[in-house]
Amino acid sequence: CLITPNLKMAALCSEFGDLVQIKKQLISVISLCKERGLVHSVKWASELAFALDPLPKDELPPSHLVSEEDVQDLDAFALAKSYFDLKEYDRAAYFLRGCHSKKAYFLYMYSRYLSGEKKKDDETVDSLGPLEKGQVRNEALRELRVELSKKHRAGELDGFTLYLYGVVLRKLDLLKEAVEVFVEATHTLPLHWGSWLELCNLVTNIEMLKSLSLPSCWIKDFFMAHIYTELQMIPGALQKYQSLIEAGFSKSTYIISQIAVAYHNIRDIDQALALFNELREQDPYRIENMDTFSNLLYVKSMKPELSYLAHNLVEIDKYRVETCCVIGNYYSLRSQHEKAALYFQRALKLNPRCLGAWTLMGHEYMEMKNTSAAIQAYRHAIEVNKRDYRAWYGLGQTYEILKMPFYCLYYYRKAHQLRPNDSRMLVALGECYEKLSQQVEAKKCYWRAFSVGDVEKMALLKLAKLQEQLTETDEAAQSYIIYIQEIFSCGEQLEHVEVSTALRYLGQYYFKNKLYDEASLCAQRCCDYNDAREEGKALLRQISQVRDQTETPSGELFVSLSDNNTPIKRVSPLNLSSFTP
Amino acid sequence: MASVHESLYFNPMMTNGVVHANVFGIKDWVTPYKISVLSLLYEMTTSKIALQEKRRLNKLILPLQQGPDLQLGQFLKTVEDCCPQTAFAVKIRLNEMADGELKDMEFFFTTLPNPTFDSEAYKTSVVGLFIRHMLLAYNKLSFSQVYKLYKSLQHYYHVYDAKPVDGQMGVPTFVADDSDMDLTSTEVTIGDKMERELDSPLYASVELNQISRGPLSQKQAEYFLAKQAYLLKNDDNKALRPAKLQEELNNMLKFNPDFAEAHYLNYLNSMRVQDIYISTHSLLHYFDRLILSGSEGKSNGDEGYGRSLRYAALNLASLHCRFGHYQLADLALQEAIRIAQESNDHVCLQHCLSWLYTLEQMKGSDSSVLTEDSVKMAAHFCLPYLASLGIQSLVQQGAVQGKSAHELMDALKDTDILHWKHSLSELIEISLAQTISIWRMYGKSTMAQQQAQLLLNMSSLEPVNFGVTQNNTEAFAVALCHLAELHAEQGLYGGTTEIFKHLKEQFPPHTQHAKLWMLCDLKIQFEKHMNDGKYHLAQPLVPAIRAQNKTEGLYRKAQVLKSLSRTTEAYRILQKLQVHCEKTRCTETIIRVLLSTAELHWESSDFSTGLPLLLQALTLSRKHHLQALASRTLLHLAFTQLMLGVPEQALSVLHEALEPILAHGGIMDKGRALMLAARCQMALVATRHSLTVAIHTLDEAASYFSTLNCKERLRDVRYLQARLHSSLGQTAQRNRCAMLFHLLDRELQTPRAPTDMRL
């Protein structure tokens, strides 16, 4: 363990400039973690190391720097490690109890911890009645905490034991202390990804993140990117990952998957799909994150691709949470909702903490019109993670279906709070307010939904219709104009009916305001649509009639009309002429 | 957060993806406590017990069997009270098992009387069923479960055994002796204080677990919730402190997130501390859970979850109403009404209707039509509670609008009959409180006092649970406030203080009804300071009063300004107030404002301008049967007439008012009336006899003023007396009065206001 301080120094002074140095550090930390049985961190580091160019032979870091104590404990450690690998934790701990090296001490404590965890899980199945089930605890935790805290105060803990201490504290629900310890662990051993990951789960908001003093090391960028994704600060995360790719990690499957997930979170479906396809090519047997991929395929209704993915994953490993979720999505897309629900249940049995499955199950029950089961599923999702906006949104939808618009306001508001820049919640909120005849609030919601970038392009239309109802003709016209601009500017014609509605309204509006040029333009455009053709023609006829009677210059009127103060109104109506339907 | 639940979802009760809300469907699991009960039963069947004791034990069986799990100490104590010999035998038996080996427990279960064959415990009797359940449950246990049961039995026994015999209830000793704690305390070196302090969160959680280990079982949790809810309803001082209760509930929910009732209690608890976020959250969570548990019924029918949906919306409305968000409450209520209408739930609709008129009332609009409708419909659907609630609300409105007294009283009497018939004790209390308020409003202090005493001394109809009678309702607060005011009116400030002390204990400042006594207290203090002439002390109270009640605050402000001779400002405020009150139809305040305005006119010696105002006040108060205010108005009229130089008229007017004032009025009014009478007599043709009478009248007034310790007026009285004695030529008495006057004058140090300028 003499390596650790060296590693730390190395990590602190090197930025991305020296990829070779980073690779060296990764290789050493891999061997360190491997010795201690920290498999997930090994996996992460190895994936990252794999993405970097291989080192020439003479540059490889010396594999072992053995201390006196290590030599003494060598045999016992080897024995215990073999037991540990075979999941015989108590046995491993027994043979390690007399060892003095830090490595052995860590494995000793870690075995005790894992043994407690294993027993806890076994107890759960085999308990004395349901009452006791809630009380099943990892009994080893308290002892571990006492011992570790004593050592901690004496300053005898190295990076790995600090990490373990943090985990124990977290399991005991002492979250504040846990965060402190994890921060300390990252300072002592910045290269251990496990500590960073635990920190990610404990940091709940950006203020808390800012208050932490973290070591400045290249790995911190990975952490920041990860936590930005967790906290739904997607642009920041994407930026971080981009810079990491530019720094030389372009081949890392980890980064690719994280970026794909980030794109998924901001509903940039095409980008995300492309990345996932790339990922599948590079790492065809990967199961992680495939549930997210299947969500994307589901949204895009890509049945054959989803079916292919599902079959492929079943071949790889059918008892994985991700596989079950993918199959669930597959059935859901085929409208076999019972089966879908069944697979989500299976996923939950495999991992009850899998919150995506709870939410998805809620969606399935919604499809099956089983509202009460849906509510329950969503509630479970919220219990697992209070920040799950989809579950809150789902609850809102459920109550909306039950025709309780006021009641669902609370849930939509919660969802909106968690995703302030997601237009779907805002539109949903707006619709509820509209149902409650709270037009002012509804208008605010729609306008805000448009301002944050409306995904479904419906907010403006709804706003315009609302304004039309309230006989705010000018505002409605402006909204329709922006709506049409939006629709045409994004290239594809999403809904013909609604565009024609807008055009029809605008035609009438200009006609009433004696702006005959614009009116006739709108009327002509109307004729492109089947359902508005007759009205368009009628309007054209009217215009020509009126024009024959009086030759009114329209310029002044137009000026007075557009001379209003709200920002929407500044858009000139003449812009219409530039549209190409 | 998530890790807490991870073990919970490996749930054998999960079918169809739905975890059944009641995972505790099976209630019969063998626990150490149950073993103790079994051994008690065993002892009872095998050993010879005296008939008397046997009878007592038999009585005990049912509560022991169905009650929550007790600690061994408590259990043995209960048994000991009935039959010490059996208790000892039970203890020995448990000791055998706990100190022996696993086989001792196994042996015990094999020797248990099998009720299928045994005659003593018939197989379908309560005891027989219990034993059979236990045997079945025991036989179903797996190997490791049996071992665990034995372990917990040992723990159960040793916790009791290690404890001093008298400390059965002492939780702290219990914690200290807990074996879990030994682990830590042996590890920690003795001098290591730091460690302990550092560990305090851990210790706290350990302690908490120990305490709440009881409530965690289904029955115990239910018992805990029921008790706390009952206490919250009836006397929330005796319930756990809000923070503590919240902690307990969180703990309970951590282990069992499906326990919906806990969410509801959480809602009630956060209502106590006016926390809208948590209360909304918990309320919605509760109904989300409730919807699940009701889902087995018909999907949208009366029993299905459609019903709970309606009540969910209704409860949300009431929540917003409580927090004064009337618009939101209105929306929620409309929603509830709509859903209820769609599913033809008339009962729910009735509830909605009664909330609707309450809401309208709170918003300050007239809702009598709605209320009448509600009463009619409620009577039609046989909902006596809602019907009489509606009538009470109508009575309240009627009283404010000046309906005739006998109509109101009749209505109240009719509802009272209904209440007693259905034993609606809460409504009886409200009805009494309402009677008190009405009598007070009419100015009949004796009747009010009598009714208040009746309410306070009435024993509640509700069964007394947990040693708490219901006495924290609004009705009690209202009654006590009236009583305090009545005492203050009579100058009995000692009694008032006592009452407020009680109110403070019963309704701590954070509770819902605390505002009632706060305002009342402020008003009494204000009046006292005004009577004492300490305007600088009264002034700071005005903002406080205003915070509680805007109208009242404005009125008081005007009074202070008037006393400080800032006439213009006072006049402006009074004008504003009058307009406002005419809009809200707050008759009492209008009359008081009119009187104050008239007094303002007096200050500028403009007596005739005040007359129409006073007459208006008189008409109003007579129309609304407000006797106290009417007499006070007459007093003002008499004074005006005296000032205008018609003392004969003044005296005749005064005589009309004198009787009710002396019978019902406050002590201040009495004094003022008598002083005025004396001044009228002085102003009349002075015969020797009439002057003597005037002196006596003044004596009486003086005694009233001295109880109030109202020195300014006392000084006036002495001055008048001195002058009377002087005109009668009684020098000695004149000198005495003059001396008293001089003493008071020196004490007060403020220049005397012209006596004849004020009432």
Side-chain angles (χ1 to χ4, degrees):
Chain A
C1 282
L2 294 175
I3 307 172
T4 334
N6 296 346
L7 260 183
K8 181 185 165 191
M9 290 310 293
L12 285 178
C13 52
S14 74
E15 281 300 311
F16 294 108
D18 199 353
L19 283 180
V20 179
Q21 208 55 43
I22 290 176
K23 173 111 185 176
K24 275 187 196 166
Q25 290 169 14
L26 279 172
I27 289 173
S28 356
V29 87
I30 286 168
S31 74
L32 283 177
C33 288
K34 209 182 270 171
E35 281 181 322
R36 286 163 177 79
L38 294 164
V39 278
H40 286 285
S41 293
V42 171
K43 184 181 120 193
W44 185 81
S46 309
E47 272 181 356
L48 214 56
F50 182 76
L52 296 175
D53 296 326
L55 292 178
K57 192 174 177 241
D58 52 329
E59 289 239 21
L60 279 178
S63 54
H64 279 297
L65 251 168
V66 188
S67 71
E68 195 59 27
E69 285 171 333
D70 283 338
V71 177
Q72 276 177 9
D73 297 342
L74 192 65
D75 298 324
F77 186 80
L79 179 68
K81 184 71 191 357
S82 68
Y83 289 144
F84 180 89
D85 289 341
L86 290 167
K87 297 197 193 318
E88 295 184 69
Y89 301 117
D90 284 336
R91 212 171 166 191
Y94 177 76
F95 285 103
L96 281 169
R97 73 202 182 287
C99 295
H100 298 290
S101 71
K102 290 198 165 169
K103 191 164 71 176
Y105 181 70
F106 173 79
L107 196 65
Y108 172 61
M109 296 306 260
Y110 194 45
S111 312
R112 284 172 63 187
Y113 166 74
L114 283 181
S115 139
E117 286 292 293
K118 187 162 170 278
K119 276 182 195 148
K120 188 182 88 178
D121 285 351
D122 295 346
E123 288 290 293
T124 332
V125 187
D126 202 23
S127 65
L128 272 181
L131 308 180
E132 209 200 27
K133 191 172 290 165
Q135 296 174 330
V136 175
R137 276 190 299 254
N138 184 344
E139 293 300 332
L141 287 179
R142 217 174 289 160
E143 296 170 43
L144 286 177
R145 176 173 176 237
V146 171
E147 286 177 39
L148 284 171
S149 70
K150 218 183 284 172
K151 287 231 175 197
H152 181 226
R153 253 199 312 284
E156 289 170 12
L157 296 184
D158 65 350
F160 290 110
T161 25
L162 274 173
Y163 162 73
L164 184 61
Y165 184 38
V167 171
V168 168
L169 287 176
R170 180 175 69 78
K171 286 272 178 179
L172 285 170
D173 278 338
L174 301 168
L175 302 183
K176 224 178 89 199
E177 292 88 338
V179 170
E180 283 165 22
V181 172
F182 281 127
V183 170
E184 204 183 326
T186 54
H187 276 284
T188 329
L189 186 68
L191 288 174
H192 181 214
W193 180 240
S195 317
W196 295 97
L197 209 56
E198 287 289 345
L199 217 47
C200 268
N201 292 330
L202 289 174
V203 174
T204 47
N205 53 41
I206 185 75
E207 283 77 26
M208 193 173 163
L209 177 66
K210 277 179 189 156
S211 68
L212 299 178
S213 77
L214 298 166
S216 55
C217 161
W218 56 268
I219 207 164
K220 188 183 171 189
D221 289 274
F222 282 91
F223 167 74
M224 292 309 266
H226 194 274
I227 202 160
Y228 281 158
T229 326
E230 287 282 305
L231 296 175
Q232 304 285 351
M233 298 159 61
I234 306 296
L238 284 175
Q239 204 187 342
K240 283 267 174 202
Y241 280 126
Q242 201 53 49
S243 63
L244 283 173
I245 284 183
E246 280 158 17
F249 291 100
S250 54
K251 278 189 262 168
S252 162
T253 48
Y254 166 76
I255 291 182
I256 296 174
S257 67
Q258 285 295 111
I259 296 178
V261 170
Y263 275 127
H264 165 260
N265 284 352
I266 50 163
R267 319 294 295 172
D268 194 339
I269 297 166
D270 297 322
Q271 288 264 28
L273 274 179
L275 281 166
F276 270 119
N277 281 324
E278 191 188 327
L279 194 64
R280 293 265 299 155
E281 258 170 48
Q282 284 187 19
D283 190 1
Y285 290 94
R286 184 189 176 96
I287 294 187
E288 283 167 315
N289 304 114
M290 282 305 128
D291 48 340
T292 318
F293 184 35
S294 76
N295 285 348
L296 292 167
L297 293 175
Y298 179 89
V299 172
K300 278 273 177 188
S301 301
M302 294 160 83
K303 264 191 206 173
E305 285 86 347
L306 189 55
S307 156
Y308 176 73
L309 179 70
H311 287 115
N312 196 325
L313 288 181
V314 166
E315 268 177 24
I316 301 169
D317 185 353
K318 61 178 172 180
Y319 294 119
R320 281 283 291 266
V321 181
E322 287 88 349
T323 316
C324 293
C325 284
V326 172
I327 300 173
N329 272 335
Y330 166 72
Y331 277 124
S332 178
L333 194 57
R334 291 172 51 119
S335 311
Q336 287 174 302
H337 298 293
E338 280 93 359
K339 278 197 172 178
L342 198 74
Y343 272 93
F344 289 128
Q345 273 171 44
R346 183 182 281 189
L348 287 171
K349 271 186 193 152
L350 289 167
N351 179 7
R353 280 199 284 169
C354 173
L355 106 130
W358 278 119
T359 318
L360 289 172
M361 198 158 80
H363 293 335
E364 293 314 313
Y365 281 123
M366 282 278 281
E367 293 285 343
M368 291 194 271
K369 301 274 178 290
N370 186 352
T371 37
S372 62
I375 290 173
Q376 167 148 32
Y378 288 133
R379 267 289 169 194
H380 273 297
I382 290 167
E383 235 147 58
V384 180
N385 183 357
K386 272 187 201 147
R387 284 184 291 164
D388 183 22
Y389 69 95
R390 281 166 306 176
W392 285 113
Y393 184 69
L395 272 177
Q397 274 183 318
T398 319
Y399 280 109
E400 204 177 343
I401 284 178
L402 292 168
K403 294 187 204 151
M404 296 169 77
F406 180 77
Y407 207 73
C408 66
L409 270 185
Y410 176 80
Y411 298 105
Y412 282 142
R413 237 181 263 147
K414 275 266 177 194
H416 171 61
Q417 226 173 346
L418 293 164
R419 296 263 295 185
N421 288 330
D422 195 322
S423 63
R424 288 168 300 169
M425 283 75 171
L426 281 162
V427 173
L429 266 177
E431 280 171 355
C432 287
Y433 278 124
E434 208 178 326
K435 276 182 202 147
L436 295 168
S437 343
Q438 305 276 301
Q439 277 92 354
V440 185
E441 276 83 3
K443 275 198 287 187
K444 276 186 215 159
C445 287
Y446 289 143
W447 179 247
R448 174 96 190 124
F450 166 69
S451 325
V452 298
D454 188 8
V455 186
E456 283 145 342
K457 309 274 174 222
M458 289 302 287
L460 271 174
L461 193 72
K462 286 183 190 295
L463 180 64
K465 281 186 177 162
L466 191 60
Q467 284 163 338
E468 204 181 320
Q469 272 173 24
L470 295 173
T471 60
E472 296 171 355
T473 42
D474 297 343
E475 287 87 347
Q478 295 298 335
S479 303
Y480 274 128
I481 289 170
I482 307 175
Y483 170 65
I484 293 175
Q485 278 176 337
E486 284 283 315
I487 291 289
F488 289 132
S489 66
C490 73
E492 42 190 325
Q493 291 169 34
L494 293 168
E495 274 150 276
H496 296 285
V497 187
E498 301 301 346
V499 174
S500 65
T501 320
L503 284 170
R504 210 182 321 171
Y505 179 82
L506 281 176
Q508 293 292 345
Y509 171 75
Y510 286 132
F511 182 71
K512 265 181 213 144
N513 285 300
K514 304 199 174 67
L515 294 163
Y516 299 115
D517 291 337
E518 286 82 6
S520 68
L521 186 66
C522 290
Q524 278 162 15
R525 292 271 181 266
C526 269
C527 294
D528 296 338
Y529 300 95
N530 282 331
D531 55 330
R533 185 163 296 145
E534 289 310 312
E535 281 186 49
K537 280 179 183 164
L539 187 60
L540 277 175
R541 243 174 281 133
Q542 272 180 314
I543 292 168
S544 61
Q545 263 178 7
V546 178
R547 273 206 177 135
D548 289 343
Q549 285 166 10
T550 47
E551 295 288 332
T552 321
S554 59
E556 296 86 358
L557 268 171
F558 160 60
V559 170
S560 67
L561 178 77
S562 59
D563 195 16
N564 283 316
N565 42 9
T566 39
I568 3 168
K569 288 166 190 163
R570 281 195 212 115
V571 180
S572 156
L574 287 171
N575 281 357
L576 256 185
S577 52
S578 63
F579 299 150
T580 45
Chain B
M1 286 166 278
S3 63
V4 177
H5 298 302
E6 72 193 304
S7 59
L8 265 165
Y9 297 112
F10 290 108
N11 197 331
M13 313 290 286
M14 187 161 134
T15 50
N16 237 345
V18 177
V19 181
H20 289 305
N22 184 11
V23 283
F24 305 112
I26 309 160
K27 287 187 184 176
D28 284 320
W29 289 83
V30 191
T31 60
Y33 169 72
K34 296 265 171 71
I35 296 180
S36 331
V37 177
L38 282 177
S39 67
L40 171 68
L41 291 172
Y42 179 77
E43 288 303 327
M44 283 172 66
T45 49
T46 50
S47 59
K48 284 227 181 296
I49 304 169
L51 193 64
Q52 194 76 36
E53 290 176 335
K54 180 120 185 167
R55 208 172 279 158
R56 271 184 281 176
L57 280 176
N58 281 344
K59 263 189 183 168
L60 199 63
I61 289 175
L62 202 62
L64 281 181
Q65 211 174 296
Q66 294 180 340
D69 284 15
L70 301 172
Q71 285 163 20
L72 187 56
Q74 287 170 292
F75 172 72
L76 286 178
K77 183 114 203 317
T78 350
V79 180
E80 217 169 61
D81 290 344
C82 298
C83 174
Q85 168 206 347
T86 320
F88 186 69
V90 169
K91 198 185 149 191
I92 293 295
R93 183 157 289 279
L94 287 176
N95 184 24
E96 261 172 35
M97 280 191 269
D99 284 348
E101 287 172 49
L102 186 58
K103 72 169 171 36
D104 294 314
M105 192 176 78
E106 281 172 342
F107 179 71
F108 171 71
F109 273 95
T110 51
T111 53
L112 263 189
N114 195 331
T116 334
F117 312 110
D118 214 355
S119 59
E120 184 93 23
Y122 187 63
K123 61 176 178 182
T124 50
S125 70
V126 182
V127 175
L129 271 177
F130 174 71
I131 296 179
R132 280 161 64 200
H133 270 304
M134 283 300 113
L135 279 176
L136 263 182
Y138 178 74
N139 288 335
K140 264 199 244 168
L141 293 182
S142 71
F143 181 80
S144 60
Q145 281 171 328
V146 171
Y147 181 65
K148 259 182 92 169
L149 178 65
Y150 182 64
K151 276 281 191 200
S152 56
L153 178 68
Q154 277 186 325
H155 182 251
Y156 183 68
Y157 183 78
H158 287 137
V159 165
Y160 160 74
D161 209 28
K163 207 162 36 177
V165 184
D166 54 334
Q168 274 148 346
M169 294 301 285
V171 176
T173 47
F174 172 52
V175 170
D177 287 327
D178 190 85
S179 59
D180 285 1
M181 295 290 294
D182 289 346
L183 246 176
T184 36
S185 45
T186 46
E187 294 278 343
V188 176
T189 43
I190 300 158
D192 210 342
K193 281 267 161 63
M194 269 281 284
E195 164 88 50
R196 282 217 162 235
E197 263 151 36
L198 230 159
D199 278 10
S200 55
L202 179 63
Y203 276 81
S205 73
V206 168
E207 197 171 1
L208 218 130
N209 275 337
Q210 293 302 340
I211 295 165
S212 56
R213 179 166 285 173
L216 274 179
S217 86
Q218 163 81 354
K219 271 186 189 160
Q220 282 166 327
E222 272 170 7
Y223 179 76
F224 173 78
L225 290 183
K227 179 177 176 183
Q228 292 300 327
Y230 181 85
L231 289 176
L232 280 190
K233 179 166 170 272
N234 291 322
D235 189 354
D236 64 0
N237 295 319
K238 295 218 172 64
L240 287 177
R241 310 295 313 152
K244 180 84 184 141
L245 183 57
Q246 171 100 46
E247 217 173 323
E248 286 284 336
L249 289 173
N250 285 348
N251 203 39
M252 191 182 291
L253 286 170
K254 195 161 93 177
F255 291 122
N256 180 13
D258 295 321
F259 212 16
E261 288 77 8
H263 287 294
Y264 197 76
L265 195 61
N266 205 352
Y267 154 65
L268 293 179
N269 189 33
S270 32
M271 289 292 279
R272 262 162 110 194
V273 288
Q274 310 277 310
D275 185 338
I276 186 158
Y277 292 103
I278 296 181
S279 50
T280 320
H281 183 79
S282 304
L283 183 70
L284 295 186
H285 203 147
Y286 168 69
F287 276 105
D288 282 348
R289 293 285 178 193
L290 190 70
I291 286 161
L292 309 170
S293 52
S295 62
E296 287 101 40
K298 287 158 262 169
S299 65
N300 239 340
D302 281 343
E303 270 121 63
Y305 74 94
R307 183 163 180 273
S308 54
L309 282 181
R310 300 190 277 281
Y311 284 98
L314 188 58
N315 269 292
L316 195 60
S318 84
L319 176 117
H320 284 304
C321 204
R322 277 265 197 109
F323 282 104
H325 306 155
Y326 296 132
Q327 200 207 356
L328 292 179
D330 197 32
L331 288 173
L333 198 57
Q334 275 171 22
E335 191 156 291
I337 292 172
R338 192 172 39 72
I339 318 173
Q341 269 172 344
E342 276 169 16
S343 45
N344 274 332
D345 185 344
H346 293 289
V347 178
C348 181
L349 270 176
Q350 277 319 299
H351 282 282
C352 293
L353 189 53
S354 73
W355 268 107
L356 193 63
Y357 72 69
T358 317
L359 197 60
E360 290 293 318
Q361 236 172 351
M362 282 177 156
K363 282 199 261 182
S365 48
D366 183 24
S367 61
S368 48
V369 183
L370 273 177
T371 321
E372 275 168 32
D373 277 354
S374 164
V375 171
K376 274 180 212 151
M377 295 296 282
H380 179 249
F381 288 109
C382 295
L383 298 166
Y385 189 92
L386 288 181
S388 57
L389 208 57
I391 294 175
Q392 283 175 346
S393 165
L394 274 176
V395 166
Q396 195 181 338
Q397 289 169 29
V400 175
Q401 287 161 8
K403 282 239 169 70
S404 70
H406 70 268
E407 277 181 86
L408 302 179
M409 288 300 175
D410 267 356
L412 277 178
K413 196 188 74 204
D414 289 347
T415 52
D416 270 346
I417 295 170
L418 208 66
H419 300 152
W420 288 104
K421 211 163 100 187
H422 296 274
S423 352
L424 302 166
S425 64
E426 246 175 293
L427 292 181
I428 295 171
E429 283 161 17
I430 297 178
S431 149
L432 272 172
Q434 226 167 22
T435 327
I436 301 167
S437 304
I438 291 174
W439 281 127
R440 273 270 290 158
M441 196 179 92
Y442 289 159
K444 310 282 189 193
S445 55
T446 323
M447 283 306 285
Q449 208 149 10
Q450 184 252 342
Q451 293 285 324
Q453 293 299 345
L454 187 62
L455 174 60
L456 294 174
N457 289 312
M458 190 180 68
S459 46
S460 173
L461 284 180
E462 297 223 332
V464 181
N465 291 332
F466 311 112
V468 172
T469 45
Q470 178 163 39
N471 54 3
N472 75 333
T473 51
E474 192 178 4
F476 276 96
V478 169
L480 284 167
C481 284
H482 279 308
L483 214 52
E485 276 179 334
L486 286 169
H487 275 82
E489 270 180 12
Q490 299 305 324
L492 304 167
Y493 289 112
T496 316
T497 329
E498 282 294 313
I499 293 172
F500 278 120
K501 219 171 93 189
H502 178 67
L503 273 167
K504 251 173 230 170
E505 277 167 21
Q506 203 63 43
F507 304 89
H510 62 86
T511 51
Q512 194 192 350
H513 305 305
K515 280 184 186 151
L516 286 171
W517 64 257
M518 283 175 177
L519 180 60
C520 184
D521 189 16
L522 285 170
K523 279 203 281 197
I524 288 174
Q525 280 184 40
F526 180 87
E527 288 289 345
K528 190 160 179 264
H529 290 317
M530 290 299 278
N531 285 341
D532 292 354
K534 294 172 181 161
Y535 308 125
H536 60 286
L537 286 176
Q539 205 166 14
L541 294 174
V542 171
I545 295 179
R546 201 170 172 175
Q548 302 277 355
N549 184 338
K550 216 171 160 193
T551 330
E552 195 66 40
L554 268 178
Y555 173 67
R556 304 282 164 174
K557 189 174 177 190
Q559 278 195 313
V560 172
L561 289 176
K562 180 166 71 80
S563 310
L564 294 172
S565 307
R566 286 155 71 179
T567 327
T568 336
E569 286 165 75
Y571 185 72
R572 212 181 302 127
I573 290 176
L574 285 173
Q575 286 302 309
K576 214 167 75 183
L577 205 56
Q578 193 178 350
V579 173
H580 174 75
C581 289
E582 268 160 12
K583 216 187 292 167
T584 54
R585 286 191 289 180
C586 181
T587 324
E588 281 181 273
T589 321
I590 295 178
I591 296 168
R592 286 191 290 161
V593 167
L594 286 172
L595 293 183
S596 295
T597 322
E599 283 171 18
L600 268 183
H601 287 303
W602 298 346
E603 301 251 317
S604 44
S605 306
D606 192 3
F607 293 100
S608 50
T609 329
L611 267 179
L613 293 176
L614 288 175
L615 288 173
Q616 193 189 347
L618 191 62
T619 341
L620 263 178
S621 53
R622 289 227 164 115
K623 197 177 137 209
H624 285 84
H625 321 284
L626 309 173
Q627 201 194 35
L629 284 171
S631 330
R632 196 177 292 170
T633 316
L634 282 176
L635 218 56
H636 280 68
L637 265 178
F639 178 73
T640 318
Q641 281 170 335
L642 177 68
M643 285 296 126
L644 289 173
V646 271
E648 306 88 357
Q649 283 297 325
L651 204 57
S652 72
V653 167
L654 189 61
H655 274 302
E656 201 179 321
L658 211 51
E659 200 175 329
I661 285 183
L662 288 179
H664 297 291
I667 203 163
M668 187 71 187
D669 280 341
K670 285 184 195 170
R672 291 203 294 188
L674 286 174
M675 196 162 102
L676 186 61
R679 284 172 67 183
C680 287
Q681 281 160 349
M682 279 170 75
L684 280 172
V685 192
T687 63
R688 196 171 175 82
H689 173 70
S690 71
L691 288 182
T692 327
V693 170
I695 289 176
H696 285 303
T697 322
L698 281 174
D699 267 337
E700 213 172 324
S703 75
Y704 286 133
F705 288 134
S706 55
T707 28
L708 274 181
N709 201 17
C710 178
K711 286 181 185 139
E712 265 186 79
R713 286 181 199 275
L714 209 54
R715 184 173 59 175
D716 294 348
V717 171
R718 294 302 174 210
Y719 169 72
L720 289 175
Q721 272 183 330
R723 271 185 50 195
L724 279 173
H725 282 303
S726 162
S727 54
L728 284 172
Q730 297 161 330
T731 333
Q733 282 103 326
R734 183 200 65 190
N735 287 351
R736 196 176 60 84
C737 288
M739 188 192 67
L740 284 172
F741 167 80
H742 183 66
L743 281 176
L744 284 168
D745 196 40
R746 253 218 316 235
E747 194 178 336
L748 283 169
Q749 284 184 335
T750 46
R752 201 173 74 92
T755 325
D756 33 313
M757 280 318 220
R758 63 181 226 175
L759 180 59

